[in-house]
Amino acid sequence: GEAFYKAQEATQTCLPLEGTALVSVNDNDKPELLDIIKILADSGFNFVATGRTYELIKNAGYDVKKVAKMYEGRPDVSDYIINREVQLVINTPIGKKGSQDDSYIRKAAIRAKVPYITTMAAAKATALGIKAVKNGEISEVKSLQELHASIR
């Protein structure tokens, strides 16, 4: 998590330390989701989610607000991103079936400069990185030369 957080900072993608996460994951990824939600909730995040993702998070006992998918009416997921109501997007694509929604979500996140996570591995690394920063567990960044010098 710490390494992922630092890598994101190096690419000038600053991960948020608080706020609201928009979550919409495909059914294959749902078994892994609650571990990530727990880490983010413990770090102080709020959640908005779509359809069955919303139901999973709510049934697990977390506070979550339901948000419409693109074809379900307004306000929808892209409205939340455009209006800067979310600080993090976790959206795992489901192939051609959801490609239109996924494309709009991705484009809205890029335009709004909201970190956009598309895999569960990256979502877990993001959550663990945020947790490490919030808990003061991030070590200082050192160059390879500095690390090499410290080995001697």
Side-chain angles (χ1 to χ4, degrees):
E2 177 183 353
F4 186 81
Y5 189 92
K6 287 178 179 178
Q8 293 301 299
E9 280 191 325
T11 64
Q12 297 182 351
T13 302
C14 296
L15 296 175
L17 297 179
E18 60 188 14
T20 300
L22 166 63
V23 186
S24 182
V25 300
N26 72 58
D27 289 342
N28 294 333
D29 292 331
K30 284 185 173 54
E32 298 175 68
L33 181 62
L34 292 179
D35 290 338
I36 295 162
I37 294 298
K38 179 180 182 352
I39 296 166
L40 290 172
D42 290 346
S43 295
F45 275 79
N46 300 308
F47 304 99
V48 296
T50 60
R52 291 188 302 270
T53 303
Y54 162 82
E55 291 170 9
L56 177 69
I57 296 169
K58 184 167 181 61
N59 290 340
Y62 295 98
D63 286 335
V64 59
K65 182 177 179 182
K66 189 170 187 177
V67 61
K69 292 183 180 183
M70 301 287 289
Y71 60 87
E72 295 175 333
R74 307 291 288 267
D76 60 33
V77 290
S78 65
D79 292 321
Y80 274 74
I81 297 167
I82 291 165
N83 295 331
R84 303 195 187 283
E85 296 178 54
V86 296
Q87 289 67 49
L88 177 66
V89 176
I90 299 172
N91 174 237
T92 58
I94 58 173
K96 292 202 183 280
K97 182 180 174 189
S99 64
Q100 187 171 4
D101 266 9
D102 295 336
S103 174
Y104 280 108
I105 293 169
R106 182 175 53 256
K107 288 174 186 172
I110 290 167
R111 278 193 291 274
K113 297 185 176 162
V114 173
Y116 179 71
I117 309 300
T118 60
T119 67
M120 296 309 285
K124 187 169 187 175
T126 296
L128 291 171
I130 290 168
K131 176 184 174 185
V133 171
K134 300 259 318 194
N135 291 339
E137 299 168 1
I138 294 282
S139 59
E140 71 178 84
V141 176
K142 293 182 180 180
S143 69
L144 289 175
Q145 293 81 0
E146 290 171 313
L147 287 172
H148 183 69
S150 69
I151 294 172
R152 293 184 204 178

